[in-house]
């Protein structure tokens, strides 16, 4: 049987099978006929029937090939027979192709039923599927049958050979994939080649080239005509190729010895040919995997070695993803016996005399050499000796000097310079002249006709003055160089630049010759290397050499030349700046000026569009300006202004180009002007004035982009003036709170982001326009208002804001480019009339510009910055002391805009409302109140009216307006008095806005202590005050009920809006305490409302008080949870207070003097009379009586003495008559206390049991109870620390150690209260010692009829630094004070945690306009100057610091400007309010805070509960009032026991109105 293998060597007959290969198959094919069985196996086309053939196969299985298993019974053989019969039937040639496929599958699923003979019959039956001319579908059937046959576990060598021959029958390319897969299956992926090993290798070697050609051809056809047929063919042939590559690789790895030289040569030859011709990465990877297998387990034939090395090199530089595979093959080759040949081939190719460096072969060889040099010794690769390679590089020039070799040398040398070991080698050898010459030679050859000088200019050693400068030589024209040569040259320069600092000086200079020689073709990176080398060689160091010429060349080449890389220009500019710092003589400065000034003039500024270059040039110009002559200084200022306009145009024309740059990168031009101002401030008054003018011009230039104007604006808003009019710059603008109002904090930035993402303003704000509220509008709890706003379009500004992110934000970059001078300038002062003009700047110009920006709509970035920072600058009145006309104009503009609503509407995209702008303007107006002495009375009245108008006109500004009115009460009280009626009416209209409750009540509490303001109020206006208090009492009760029920949405609003600043500044910083603050706000409002009601009642003229009793009494009731009317303890003590003071204004009483012996025996008795304790102490002889009436709101001491008449002469004296006692006898007992009590409290009218007084027993328990009652003060007492912080002081111990203080601090104390002696004090000293002066001899205190404040003043307490260095004694008082007033004269901001304590809740910071510490900075003034300094302290700022969990409770939450005489009163009122809240807060864990009056009431009730008659009730409940009724003799009466008395059951409230029956006060008219 002949079998032929198709290949490029023709057809070769397969040798006859050996005994091993063919024994079993021969036995099967030539089996003799059996005697008992008439049939041998014949071809399926024979005449025997199918049944006969099956029977013959079955018999043959037992007699020829197999011995039946012992356990196989006849039944199983019958089953197998049926399976074989079924398979042969399905595979019969007469069956359809589909059925025959089923037959192949049937064989596979029942393979165990087939003997080898039966399997051979199956192959014979389907032999048409293994013929060369069979269709592709039929051939696929054959391959499927082969796959199933391979599942048989009994296949021997003969059967495997038979299958192999069936597989390798030639087939069309489209079907080769199945053929290769069948071969992979039969060989177990190359692992099992028996018995056809050599035949398989021959077959595979013949298929490589033809299969690749078929795949390439199929792909070409598909590219030309993308039909499904071509697509199928291309896919199939490509799969066949990859399968072939994979099988060959497997065979090589598993059986390298089975491949003889001829087949190896054929395979390697064809694979390398594929690698040389293919453009397919997948083809290349598959072919390279075979080469990798060959190099690893065999060897590359010698005739293919050169090609293999070239191919591997080309792949290593041309195909990145295969580079590692190529290097791996090279490693394998170097481990082979061909190592010397490989190294020789690499060097020959790298230094080819015919192929240039652009050749892939040359590039590849160079890459291979570089790789071998770089490999680590741990890789155990045969490394090329560096000495040999180095010599090869430089010595082969003698034998080969062709252009190609020169170029190759340049290329390889450049590549090797990135290899660390190679660099280390050449650093040890003195070959730099050779390197430079060879490099220049290579350039000469490549540059064509241009021949360049290769001689090294100088030799080492040299001095800066001895060598000829390379930049003086003519610049070579290298424009003809090939791109590859330029690239290699730049690579060499860059590589040498990296090691240049490590070279010896001589080598550095020689290599620099190459750098400078090539300067016109250097890449950007190489240019940077050149400049760095120039700097390193000190060629720019100012000396007697040509440094200025070199500097000029750099400027010409890299600054003035067009299209120069920006980073390179930066390096030159840095070199210019570094050289500037080294100038030491006038000659140096003159030569430097000759370079710099022409450069600045030659730059085409209006054509320059590189922002970073302009910024850096501006920085350089500003630095040089510090040492420039005056004429240059002015010119440089003009140039800086010009640069500002250019940079501004860049930002306007390309708004998004630099939006992601940080602020410093965008604003360096105007920042340079700012820096120049800060540096000139301490060196030159004239130059400072010039820079100041330039800054004003920058801000004034509306056409400039905001990012250019903002740095100048930052500086100008930070200008301040000290007590001597010296100018300084404050680093901190103190404007964070107002920044939140215009969405310029990080938290408000998040809000803006949410708004922009949602795109719907109504999602964030109820009011679409930030509207102004109409005068008749009502304001709901949520703050939603009606609109009276201007609808001015902000479309252009909206577009601007949408295009640009916010350009200033808190916290952000520092406001100034550098720290300002610590001390006020000794040279520059504010302009004052009569002062020297040459050392002053006119700050009125800046104020005029501010006014202009407010009057004329400006960019929102600029306008908002002025809004936020103007109040802070106004807190330094001295800075505008000579600008009174401008202050007047500013006041007029602000008042006019607020009253008319004509100020700017913010862009919609900012998320800022117009009301927020009004909020900032009102803060400015409130700050202007500190300038009240400059304004006329009419202007002061207008300011009050404007603030009053804002309460209900603009959303979010009511709080600041109410607080502003509180300031007005102190500084312009007469103007407030004129508008007080409308003010109270306005407040009554907005009491439904719960977030304003604290501010309204605190305002009323402060107003009640200023009689000059309110003394003109009418009766109805006074009733408005009481109505406000009652309304807030009702609201507080509702809120406390909601809190107990677990709700409190209104409280959340009140809490969140407590600061009055929209956005993020109103909430406490500790979110975990939010609910606690919510819970205690209504408690504070409740206490404050009663406090205001009480103080206002006492503020009314005595003659008018009874008029208000009935109305107040009728509104003090509340309802409990069951709907019953209840009079709360607070209401009861308020009613008690009115009962005591409605007809009395004599003040407090004191106990009477002791009785004398002549008064007779003394008897004392006490009664409970209603809700009072009446004690009667009577001298029984003459009836002299001391009366004591103890009530909740106070104790009254009085004397009662019956005016006993002398007996008439005709009176017959009886034994009991007065004055009938014998001479010398004991005084008679003529009267008892009981008589006095009855005389004063009772008549013979029947007294119901509930109305009867309760006589208290004269026992120890009663005496203790009364003594406990008396220990409760009749006023609420508070303690407040008043601390002096001296110059430079920041630490607790040094502050508390102060034993002296300033004159201004003494004035503050005098304004806060009265100096009182502690020893023997009759008031509560609040912890201070009043026995031994251990806490000092005196302190300050303040008291009115309901409140007392004792001030703890550490500087008035003894100081013992030796025994108490930490001042623990003083800290024991200060640390326990809820509220501290801090007089901060240190010159530093005061930190809240300076006095660590869990009880310090509020600090009230009073800071002089000129802190003593700032005045003393650097220079300590003499004592007489100190005195003058103290006298000049006219203005102070007041600001509160609260515990993070506190809401802002004070009108000074943002600082306010006041004279000291007013600051003291404001601080005391803030301290009082803060103390009330702190007491509420401190008792939040153990229940509510109970006032002194309520404690006294509770003591009385305890006595009533203990001693009341059985029919007496102490219930506080009573029905609602329905008016009063007059009773006549005989009328029935029914009532209810209330508060120790009896009230009409249908007129309880009128029963409580004692003024109804006590009557009015007499008229004083």
């Amino acid at each position: 049987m002949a079998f032929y293998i198709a290949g490029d060597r023709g057809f070769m007959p397969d040798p006859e099978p050996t005994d091993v290969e063919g024994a079993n198959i021969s036995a099967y094919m030539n089996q003799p006929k059996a005697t008992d069985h008439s049939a041998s196996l014949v071809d399926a086309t024979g005449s025997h029937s199918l049944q006969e053939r099956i029977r013959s196969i079955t018999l043959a299985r037992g007699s020829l090939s197999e011995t039946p298993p012992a356990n196989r019974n006849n039944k199983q053989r019958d089953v197998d027979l049926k399976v074989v019969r079924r398979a042969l039937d399905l595979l019969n040639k007469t069956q359809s192709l589909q059925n025959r496929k089923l037959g192949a599958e049937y064989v596979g699923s029942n393979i165990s039923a087939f003997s080898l003979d039966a399997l051979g019959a199956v192959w014979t039956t389907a032999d048409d599927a293994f013929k060369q001319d069979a269709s592709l579908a039929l051939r696929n059937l054959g391959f499927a049958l082969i796959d199933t046959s391979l599942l048989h576990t009994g296949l021997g060598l003969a059967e495997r050979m038979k299958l192999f021959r069936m597989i390798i029958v030639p087939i069309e390319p489209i079907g080769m994939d199945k053929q290769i897969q069948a071969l992979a299956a039969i060989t177990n992926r190359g692992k099992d080649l028996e018995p056809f090993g050599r035949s398989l290798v021959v077959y595979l070697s013949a298929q490589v080239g033809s299969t690749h050609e078929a795949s390439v051809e199929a792909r070409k056809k598909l590219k030309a005509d993308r039909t499904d047929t071509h697509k199928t063919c291309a896919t199939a042939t490509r799969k066949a190729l990859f399968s072939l590559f994979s099988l060959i690789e497997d065979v090589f790895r598993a059986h390298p010895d089975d491949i003889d030289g001829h087949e190896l040569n054929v395979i390697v030859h064809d694979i390398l040919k594929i690698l040389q011709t293919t453009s397919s990465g997948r083809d290349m990877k598959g072919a390279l995997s075979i080469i990798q297998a060959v190099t690893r387990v065999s060897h590359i034939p010698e005739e293919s070695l050169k090609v293999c090395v070239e191919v591997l090199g080309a792949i290593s530089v041309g195909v990145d993803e295969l580079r590692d595979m190529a290097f791996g093959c090279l490693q394998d080759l170097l481990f082979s016996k061909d190592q010397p040949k490989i190294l020789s081939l690499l060097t020959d190719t790298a230094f080819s005399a015919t192929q240039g460096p652009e050749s892939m072969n040359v590039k590849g060889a160079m890459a291979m050499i570089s790789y071998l040099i770089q490999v680590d010794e741990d890789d155990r690769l045969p490394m090329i000796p560096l000495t040999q390679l180095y010599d090869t590089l430089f010595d082969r020039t003698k034998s080969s000097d062709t252009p190609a070799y020169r170029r190759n040398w340049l290329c390889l040398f450049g590549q090797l310079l990135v290899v660390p070991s190679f660099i280390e080698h050449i650093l040890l050898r003195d070959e730099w002249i050779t390197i430079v010459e060879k490099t220049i030679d290579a350039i000469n050859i490549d540059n064509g006709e241009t021949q360049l000088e290769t001689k090294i200019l100088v030799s080492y050693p040299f001095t800066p003055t001895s060598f000829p400068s390379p930049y003086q030589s003519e610049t070579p024209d290298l424009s003809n160089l090939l791109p590859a040569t330029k690239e290699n040259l730049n690579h060499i320069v860059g590589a040498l630049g990296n090691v240049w600092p490590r070279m010896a000086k001589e080598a550095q200079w020689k290599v620099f010759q190459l750098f400078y020689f090539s300067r016109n073709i250097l890449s950007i990176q190489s240019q940077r290397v050149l400049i760095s080398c120039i700097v390193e060689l000190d060629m720019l160091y100012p000396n007697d050499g040509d440094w200025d010429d070199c500097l000029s060349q750099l400027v010409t080449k890299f600054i003035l030349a067009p299209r120069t890389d920006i980073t390179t220009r930066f390096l030159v500019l840095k070199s210019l700046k570094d050289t500037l710092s080294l100038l030491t003589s006038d000659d140096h400065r003159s030569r430097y000026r000759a370079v710099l000034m022409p450069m600045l003039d030659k730059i085409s500024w209006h054509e320059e569009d590189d922002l970073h270059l302009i910024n850096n040039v501006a920085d350089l110009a500003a630095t040089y300006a510090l040492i420039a002559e005056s004429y240059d200084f002015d010119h440089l200022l003009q140039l800086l202004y010009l640069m500002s306009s250019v940079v501004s145009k860049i930002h306007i024309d390309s708004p998004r180009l630099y939006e992601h740059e940080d602020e410093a990168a965008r604003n360096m031009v105007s920042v340079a002007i700012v820096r120049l101002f800060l540096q000139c401030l301490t060196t030159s008054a004239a130059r400072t004035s010039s820079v100041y003018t330039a800054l004003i011009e920058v801000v004034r230039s509306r056409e400039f982009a905001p990012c250019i104007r903002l740095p100048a604006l930052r500086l100008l808003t930070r200008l301040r003036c000290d007590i001597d009019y010296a100018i300084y710059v404050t680093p901190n603008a103190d404007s964070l709170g107002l920044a939140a109002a215009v969405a310029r904090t990080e938290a408000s930035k998040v809000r803006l982001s949410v708004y922009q993402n949602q795109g719907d303003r109504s999602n964030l704000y109820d009011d679409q326009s930030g509207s102004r509220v109409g005068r008749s509008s009502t304001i709901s709890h949520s703050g939603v208002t009606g609109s009276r706003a201007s609808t001015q379009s902000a479309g252009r500004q909206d577009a601007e804001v949408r295009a640009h992110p916010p350009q200033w934000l808190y916290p952000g970059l520092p406001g100034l480019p550098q720290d300002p001078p610590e001390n006020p300038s000794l040279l520059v002062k504010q302009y004052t009339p009569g002062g020297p003009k040459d050392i002053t700047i006119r700050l009125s110009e800046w104020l005029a510009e501010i006014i202009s920006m407010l009057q004329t709509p400006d960019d929102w970035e600029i306008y908002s910055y002025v809004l936020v920072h103007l109040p802070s600058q106004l807190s330094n009145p001295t800075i505008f002391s000579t600008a009174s006309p401008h202050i007047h104009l500013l006041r007029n503009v602000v008042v006019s805009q607020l009253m008319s609503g004509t100020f700017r509407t913010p862009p919609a995209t900012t998320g800022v409302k117009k009301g927020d702008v009004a909020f900032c303007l009102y803060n400015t107006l409130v700050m202007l109140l500190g300038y009240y002495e400059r304004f006329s009375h009419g202007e002061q009245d207008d300011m009050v009216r404007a603030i009053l108008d804002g309460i209900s006109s603009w959303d979010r500004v009511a709080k600041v307006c109410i607080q502003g009115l509180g300031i007005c009460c102190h500084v312009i009280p007469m103007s407030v008095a004129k508008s007080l009626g409308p003010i109270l009416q306005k407040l009554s209209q907005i009491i439904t806005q719960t977030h304003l409750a604290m501010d309204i009540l605190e305002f009323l509490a402060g107003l009640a202590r200023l009689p000059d303001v309110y003394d003109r109020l009418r009766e109805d206006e006074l009733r408005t005050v009481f109505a406000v208090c009652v309304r807030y009492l009702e609201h507080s009760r509702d809120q406390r009920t909601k809190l107990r029920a677990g709700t409190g949405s209104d409280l959340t609003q009140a809490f969140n809006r407590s600061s009055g600043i929209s956005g993020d500044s109103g909430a406490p910083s500790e979110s975990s305490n939010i609910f606690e603050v919510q819970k205690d706000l209504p408690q504070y409002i409740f206490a404050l409302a009663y406090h205001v009601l009480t103080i206002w009642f006492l503020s009314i003229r005595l003659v008018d008080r009874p008029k208000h009793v009935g109305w107040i009494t009728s509104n003090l009731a509340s309802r409990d949870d069951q709907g019953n009317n209840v009079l709360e303890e607070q209401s009861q003590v308020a009613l008690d207070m009115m009962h005591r003071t409605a007809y009395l204004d004599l003040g407090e009483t004191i106990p009477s003097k002791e009785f004398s012996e002549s008064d007779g025996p003394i008897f004392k008795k006490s009664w409970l009379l209603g809700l009072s304790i009446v004690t009667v102490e009577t001298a029984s002889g003459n009836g002299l009586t001391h009366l004591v009436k103890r009530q909740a709101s106070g104790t009254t001491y009085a004397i009662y003495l019956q005016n006993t008449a002398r007996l008439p002469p005709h009176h017959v004296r009886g034994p009991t008559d007065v004055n009938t006692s014998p001479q010398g006898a004991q005084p008679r007992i003529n009267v008892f206390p009981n008589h006095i009590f009855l005389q004063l409290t009772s008549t013979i009218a029947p007294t119901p049991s509930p109305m009867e007084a309760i006589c208290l027993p004269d026992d120890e328990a009663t005496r203790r109870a009364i003594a406990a009652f008396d220990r409760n003060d009749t006023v609420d007492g508070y303690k407040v620390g008043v601390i002096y912080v001296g110059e430079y002081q920041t630490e607790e111990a040094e502050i508390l150690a102060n034993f002296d203080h300033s004159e201004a601090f003494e004035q503050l104390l005098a304004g806060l209260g009265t100096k009182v002696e502690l020893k023997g004090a009759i008031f509560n000293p609040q912890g201070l010692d009043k026995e031994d002066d251990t806490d000092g001899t005196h302190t300050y205190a303040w008291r009115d009829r309901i409140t007392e404040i004792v001030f703890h003043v550490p500087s008035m307490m003894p100081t013992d630094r030796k025994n108490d260095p930490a001042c623990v004694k003083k800290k024991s008082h200060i640390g326990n004070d809820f509220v501290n007033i801090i007089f901060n004269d240190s010159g530093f901001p005061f930190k809240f945690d300076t006095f660590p304590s869990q009880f310090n809740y509020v600090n009230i910071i009073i800071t002089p306009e000129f802190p003593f510490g700032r005045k003393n900075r650097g220079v300590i003034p003499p004592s007489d100057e100190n005195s003058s300094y103290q006298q000049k302290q006219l203005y102070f700022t007041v600001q509160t610091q609260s515990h993070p969990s506190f809401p802002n409770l004070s009108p000074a939450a943002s600082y306010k400007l006041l004279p000291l005489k007013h600051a003291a009163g404001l601080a005391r009122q803030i301290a009082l309010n803060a103390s009330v809240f702190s007491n509420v807060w401190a008792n939040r864990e153990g229940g509510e805070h109970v006032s002194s009056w309520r404690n006294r009431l509770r003591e009385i009730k305890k006595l009533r509960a203990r001693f009341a008659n059985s029919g007496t009730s102490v219930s506080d409940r009573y029905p609602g009032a329905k008016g009063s009724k007059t009773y006549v003799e005989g009328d029935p009466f029914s009532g209810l026991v209330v508060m120790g008395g009896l009230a009409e059951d249908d007129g309880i409230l009128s029963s409580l109105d004692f003024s109804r029956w006590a009557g009015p006060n007499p008229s004083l008219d």
Side-chain angles (χ1 to χ4, degrees), residues 736-751:
L736 178 61
L738 286 181
V742 291
R744 291 308 172 102
T745 61
E746 286 294 342
S748 59
K749 183 180 178 182
V750 173
R751 180 184 70 175

Side-chain angles (χ1 to χ4, degrees), residues 948 976-987 1017-1018 1021 1024:
L948 175 60
V976 176
K978 295 176 184 178
S979 300
L980 189 54
I983 289 173
L984 295 177
Q985 181 64 26
K986 186 80 70 174
L987 295 181
L1017 285 179
R1018 302 189 307 271
E1021 293 171 337
T1024 300

Side-chain angles (χ1 to χ4, degrees), residues 231 295 422 473 530 635 702 765 787 832 897 911 963 1016 1024 1144 1164 1290 1314 1498 1547:
K231 184 177 181 180
T295 58
F422 183 78
S473 61
L530 171 63
H635 183 55
R702 303 291 179 92
Y765 300 105
S787 175
T832 53
Q897 289 187 353
Q963 294 174 351
R1016 300 178 187 176
T1024 300
L1144 173 70
K1164 185 176 183 180
T1290 58
T1314 302
R1498 290 181 178 184

Side-chain angles (χ1 to χ4, degrees), residues 22 55 136 250 257 310 315 494 853 898 1235 1369 1383 1413:
R55 180 174 178 80
L136 182 60
D250 292 338
D257 296 335
E310 292 176 349
I315 291 175
M853 287 186 285
L898 288 173
H1235 169 77
K1369 178 67 174 175
F1383 189 92

Side-chain angles (χ1 to χ4, degrees), residues 726-765:
I727 299 297
Y728 68 92
V729 179
T730 179
N732 183 12
D734 294 326
S735 301
L736 178 61
L738 286 181
V742 291
R744 291 308 172 102
T745 61
E746 286 294 342
S748 59
K749 183 180 178 182
V750 173
R751 180 184 70 175
L752 174 61
S753 175
V754 172
Y755 165 74
Q756 290 176 333
N757 290 335
Q758 292 178 345
D760 182 3
R761 188 177 177 87
S762 62
N763 288 339
L764 287 177
Y765 300 105

Side-chain angles (χ1 to χ4, degrees), residues 615 618-619 622 640 667-677 817:
N615 283 336
D619 182 66
L640 288 171
N667 303 339
M668 283 183 64
V669 177
S670 51
V671 166
I673 303 177
V674 171
R675 184 163 52 83
L676 194 58
F677 180 90

Side-chain angles (χ1 to χ4, degrees), residues 1126-1147:
V1126 177
L1127 201 66
E1128 300 165 313
E1129 281 186 347
Q1130 292 92 334
S1131 297
Q1132 293 177 42
V1133 297
L1135 187 60
D1136 185 82
M1137 175 273 303
M1138 292 189 293
H1139 189 276
R1140 291 185 64 250
T1141 59
Y1143 302 96
L1144 173 70
D1145 226 359
L1146 289 178

Side-chain angles (χ1 to χ4, degrees), residues 42-48 53 92-93 121 124-125:
V42 296
D43 191 274
T45 58
S47 58
H48 292 289
R53 289 192 293 110
N92 193 281
K93 295 180 179 63
T124 302
T125 301

